[in-house]
Amino acid sequence: MHAADLADLLDWLEDPDDKLRLYALLEPDVASDVIRDVGDLTRDTIIEHLSDARLAEVVERLDTDDATDLVGKLPEERKTTVLDRASPETRREVEDLLSYPHDSAGGIMKKEVAAVTTGSTVIEVIEQIRARADAY
């Protein structure tokens, strides 16, 4: 099942315990895609009940802008705990983005970039970006 469909299913479920049981079954890569796509109420319910270790695992797999949005909504103490469990690179990137006001360019940017050589043609660049779209 596609992550967007799982997100819709989680949003559709009324019982928070059902949402949590279903989310707990998801592999980390799928869980990170789903947490990005669920509605705010479902996301808040899931995040509130996830262990810090599981939340760090999810944050680790999100793009930096999504990870920053998620971590930025946590209480300060939990934010620190979750980032301490993340890789040094993720922690550094998220902390850097958190230093910008939420509604500024820095607050909404990503750290992932597409780099190409100067000799690349437009077609080659487009093909490279399409092939690595998940990385950006």
Side-chain angles (χ1 to χ4, degrees):
M1 186 177 263
H2 192 273
D5 296 327
L6 287 167
D8 286 343
L9 177 59
L10 284 167
D11 285 335
W12 179 79
L13 293 170
E14 292 182 16
D15 184 351
D17 290 333
D18 290 341
K19 293 176 190 263
L20 296 169
R21 277 193 292 276
L22 176 58
Y23 191 80
L25 297 173
L26 303 177
E27 293 294 324
D29 288 336
V30 176
S32 65
D33 289 339
V34 169
I35 202 74
R36 187 187 62 230
D37 293 338
V38 293
D40 291 341
L41 184 59
T42 298
R43 182 180 304 110
D44 292 346
T45 299
I46 291 170
I47 290 171
E48 180 181 340
H49 292 90
L50 280 183
S51 70
D52 293 337
R54 174 73 165 171
L55 188 53
E57 192 174 46
V58 169
V59 165
E60 192 70 40
R61 287 166 172 79
L62 289 169
D63 289 341
T64 53
D65 61 328
D66 294 324
T68 302
D69 290 344
L70 190 149
V71 171
K73 294 177 183 175
L74 299 174
E76 283 302 318
E77 185 176 315
R78 187 155 193 222
K79 185 184 305 182
T80 301
T81 303
V82 168
L83 288 176
D84 284 347
R85 291 176 174 267
S87 70
E89 180 182 3
T90 297
R91 181 174 51 251
R92 185 182 66 254
E93 289 176 348
V94 169
E95 286 175 342
D96 183 41
L97 291 178
L98 284 171
S99 70
Y100 294 96
H102 180 71
D103 58 351
S104 70
I108 60 174
M109 73 178 171
K110 289 184 171 196
K111 292 288 210 164
E112 297 82 11
V113 296
V116 297
T117 60
T118 56
S120 299
T121 67
V122 172
I123 298 293
E124 291 169 338
V125 171
I126 291 171
E127 288 173 357
Q128 180 183 356
I129 290 172
R130 285 183 179 153
R132 300 193 59 220
D134 289 342
Y136 309 120

